[in-house]
Each structure stands twice: as structure tokens, then as C-alpha cells.
Amino acid sequence: MKVSHAVPLQVPIESVNLEEWIFSLSDEDYQAASPAHRAASVTSSNGVRGTINVESIGGTLIIQHYREVAAGARGFELLSPRSRGYLFHLIPIPAEVRWTMTAAPRGANESELRCVVEFNLSPSCACCR
């Protein structure tokens, strides 16, 4: 499943730094961005940056362990190959989640932010056979 959404930003593209934003995102800012967001933390392992995000969507608790694939001022791509969804907050469902965010200019003082989240259930998941 792939979900994409774009929103206008009332700032010039030169003011946007998504790499700095994602790797300095506080737990409080993550929670303030959506009522579904429960917790977040920035991580680093063996020199690779990442984030751990916890959210509840449609009653399903989802925990993502993202690792940086690519990052720059105008965008980033994070991959969580070992995400877990918990159906009814009890039954674990393994998944892979890819999160991409990009910014592009829309004029002298405006930009567009595009967010794409791709969620793939693991073939080893008993519910998918």
C-alpha cells in the first residue's frame, strides 16, 4: 500500500532543510504533528542515522525502526525493514515501511512538501498467506 500527500509551505525553498528537521525531530514535535503519533526518537547505529516511530492508525499500533537510505536539505528516504503492526494491540504483523519526504519550489516565496509512505506486509506473515 502506498499513500502520498502534498501540502503547500508558505516559505521559500531555501528555508527548507528536511535532513536537519528529521534528524532533530523531538518526541514532542512528532506527537504535535498528528493525533496518531505516540512517540519518536532519533537513533544512530554503526554510523547510520535513523528514527524509531510509534503511532496508532485505525486502532493498530505500529512501531517503525527506520534507517537512513538517503538525506539532504530537499528530501530524505528512510526504510524500516522490520516494522511491526499490532492488530488489536496484541497480534504482531511484520512489515516493511518506506518513508520519503521531498520539498520543491512553487515560486519565489512558496514550496511544496510531498510525503510518501509505502507499507508492504511481509510474505512471512501468517495473515498474508
Side-chain angles (χ1 to χ4, degrees), residues 69-85:
V69 174
R74 304 298 168 255
F76 63 81
E77 180 180 351
L78 303 177
L79 178 65
S80 176
R82 57 184 189 102
S83 290
R84 291 284 183 271

Side-chain angles (χ1 to χ4, degrees), residues 97-121:
V97 181
R98 182 176 309 276
W99 178 20
T100 306
M101 190 172 282
T102 57
R106 283 184 58 179
N109 295 312
E110 203 173 306
S111 307
E112 179 179 83
L113 181 69
R114 179 167 296 279
C115 180
V116 178
V117 177
E118 189 174 351
F119 187 87
N120 297 305
L121 292 176

Side-chain angles (χ1 to χ4, degrees), residues 42-102:
V42 176
T43 65
S44 181
S45 177
N46 298 322
V48 178
R49 298 178 294 182
T51 67
I52 298 173
N53 301 2
V54 180
E55 53 192 317
S56 182
I57 299 174
T60 300
L61 183 68
I62 302 170
I63 301 171
Q64 297 126 347
H65 296 266
Y66 287 114
R67 293 182 56 84
E68 175 184 8
V69 174
R74 304 298 168 255
F76 63 81
E77 180 180 351
L78 303 177
L79 178 65
S80 176
R82 57 184 189 102
S83 290
R84 291 284 183 271
Y86 289 90
L87 193 59
F88 308 114
H89 290 248
L90 296 171
I91 303 165
I93 301 170
E96 177 183 88
V97 181
R98 182 176 309 276
W99 178 20
T100 306
M101 190 172 282
T102 57

